[in-house]
Amino acid sequence: MPVQTSIPQVKKNETDRSSENAKSKRSWPQPVRDYVQRSFAAENYIPGVERQEMESRLKKVISEAAENGTLNDVQWKSLPLPQQMINMERLSAPAAWPVGFSTLSMKDANLTTNSTPSKKRKSSDKDSVRGINGHTRPVHEADNRNDLEDRISYPDKKPRHATADHRSSKSHKNLDNRKKRFDTGQNERSNLELWRPSTDEAIKEVLQGPVVGRCQDLEKQYFRLTSAPNPESVRPLEVLEKTLDHLKKKWRREKNYSYICDQFKSLRQDLTVQHIKNEFSVNVYEIHARIALERQDLSEYNQCQTQLRALYSQKLGGHPTEFLAYRILYFLHTSNRTDMNDVLADLTPTDKKDLAVKHALDVRSALALCNYHRFFQLYLETPNMGAYLMDMFVGRERLAALSNICKAYKPDVRLRFITEELGFESDEETARFVCEHNGQAFLQQRAEGVTLLTDKARLFFEPVVKAAFIKADMKTPGQMKHA
């Protein structure tokens, strides 16, 4: 019994020391804290600069100084406040405009020197709708013809558009302008109240580092975060490493995908809230992606693949070429030519020498050339877990190949030939495939064996092939199989 009570006590002391170390890591020099206080002070509020924009710039200034190791070297007392930096950038932005204005003024000068108005002016009016920044405003906002006519006096005639509807719309516009003038003060006061939180809150929001977990549980159910994470419910890195070993053993033993997927999402969440990005993070995402592939859960696989791309770019280890091959096969499955072209453009000579990547490129080439004989040979030789991805689209390719066989071989062909060409394991599996697509009427039993009446089946399989190539939604029940 004494042994059982001493172990939790040691863990508690370790967690206390880790929390104290975490607090010491988050201690900031006093000049930095003073700089944050001045940034949130009410007297330094600048109208037009949103608090979110100011906070983003403030975090950027402090984080860059921390990364460069110059927190104690920067003159924080004389450094412009983040809102002042933003305001100065906005004021200096129009410095590049005079060229555009000069061209406009020269056009206007040429127009005024002409005694007769040009008929092409109407088309140039439409071009002048473009703002200085090159953006085009809506026509109803850019049409200033009515305002121009209001400034012209007509001695004998009324303005052309001086109708009751025009007057009413103009009065509504003036009323809206008056409301905006009266609302300006209230909006500024409300913005000012949102701008200035308490000093402690401001420092906490800007200078708070990542969460340092203190939970010691190996298993934890996944919950979507709706507020800031609680360190008591977040597991630190050393516990997460034990959790991964525990989940791998449990997956081999039980194969309960719903449970394992929930546990891996919880593990990934703890990594994210603590900003942990290392070789262990790569290992977690790779294992989860492989399990998701095995169960054909493309939704979870895509989430892992997206994070892995970001982690691989930081050179944190893992198996980038293996998952590069999976990406190529996945884009073949989804018929995503745009992303496929991006992947091919980024390939390096080293990538192309990798066995898995070379295989995936050969699969793509075989499909592009409609070389189904080569395609099904590659299907039977797929390395790693690429066969799980190819299983998702091999059915439609078999239909396309079967349709081509019906066009090339007439009036019939032996079923054994189809089995060998389309990569089936037996004639029974081939016959079952034909029957699943309602082609049983074209199978005929003969003395030499079962044959397919290709002459009659040709027209039948063409619409079936077209329907098979329609892109399906990613999260259809057939693509997500839980144990």
Side-chain angles (χ1 to χ4, degrees), residues 395 398-399 402 415-416 418-419 422-444 450-452 460-461 464:
R398 277 174 170 159
L399 281 174
L402 184 60
L415 195 66
R416 186 61 193 172
I418 299 176
T419 301
L422 303 190
F424 289 106
E425 294 183 357
S426 63
D427 291 349
E428 290 77 10
E429 185 181 0
T430 308
R432 193 182 309 116
F433 177 80
V434 174
C435 294
E436 286 175 355
H437 295 88
N438 302 319
Q440 57 271 16
F442 308 108
L443 294 175
Q444 191 176 79
V450 180
T451 60
L452 178 68
F460 172 80
F461 280 111
V464 178

Side-chain angles (χ1 to χ4, degrees), residues 314-325:
Q314 301 178 34
K315 309 296 183 183
L316 298 175
H319 304 83
T321 53
E322 175 190 348
F323 281 84
L324 176 59

Side-chain angles (χ1 to χ4, degrees), residues 365-376:
S365 177
L367 289 180
L369 298 173
C370 294
N371 187 349
Y372 293 106
H373 179 80
R374 176 61 176 156
F375 171 79
F376 289 107

